[in-house]
Amino acid sequence: MVHVLSSRTLLHPSDPERSRTFYGEQLGLAVHREFGTGPQRGTVYFLGGGFLEVSGRSETPPSPAVRLWLQVEDVAAAHEELRAKGVEIVRAPVKEPWGLIEMWIADPDGIPIVLVEVPADHPMRYRPGI
């Protein structure tokens, strides 16, 4: 068995500074560490149980298969906070048929980000008899 000690999602944005503003200031992700110098320096953000590294630069658009799924405590509060910070809301919070409350946004390069609230009575959080 592979014993994973940490996980990290790596993004090479088309405009690193714009992406750092989005993830650090608008989403409010805490910085784990920074490395390098200049406009293409790397910034690693905390993502709950993992990390998001924004470093380097890409001349090509991201794959449409890439998505970020971020669990938040209160998606309605996140909606209000992000809207006030000027983040474009792709889809307002909706309770899905599977019981999760989801809101969709996108990063500056168009990477879809799903903000998810897991209600207290959802099977992901509560399993009677276990």
Side-chain angles (χ1 to χ4, degrees):
M1 172 186 267
V2 175
H3 295 282
V4 177
L5 301 177
S6 179
S7 64
R8 180 174 300 179
T9 299
L10 177 61
L11 294 180
H12 294 301
S14 62
D15 183 339
E17 205 55 51
R18 180 181 68 176
S19 290
R20 273 191 288 279
T21 297
F22 176 78
Y23 287 105
E25 295 175 22
Q26 291 184 292
L27 282 188
L29 299 181
V31 173
H32 170 63
R33 72 182 192 93
E34 295 183 287
F35 57 91
T37 59
Q40 294 187 45
R41 71 188 181 281
T43 305
V44 180
Y45 298 97
F46 284 105
L47 278 184
F51 300 96
L52 173 68
E53 179 179 321
V54 176
S55 63
R57 180 182 296 270
S58 177
E59 300 301 323
T60 59
S63 165
V66 174
R67 289 178 174 27
L68 294 177
W69 192 91
L70 305 176
Q71 184 176 341
V72 298
E73 185 175 357
D74 183 341
V75 80
H79 177 253
E80 292 305 315
E81 179 182 340
L82 294 174
R83 194 174 62 171
K85 290 181 177 181
V87 173
E88 180 185 350
I89 308 300
V90 175
R91 194 189 80 180
V94 171
K95 186 166 187 175
E96 301 291 356
W98 46 90
L100 299 177
I101 303 167
E102 296 184 3
M103 177 179 85
W104 301 347
I105 61 174
D107 88 344
D109 283 325
I111 294 174
I113 300 172
V114 182
L115 297 176
V116 178
E117 178 182 336
V118 181
D121 62 346
H122 193 277
M124 287 178 69
R125 289 184 56 187
Y126 174 73
R127 294 173 56 190
I130 295 180

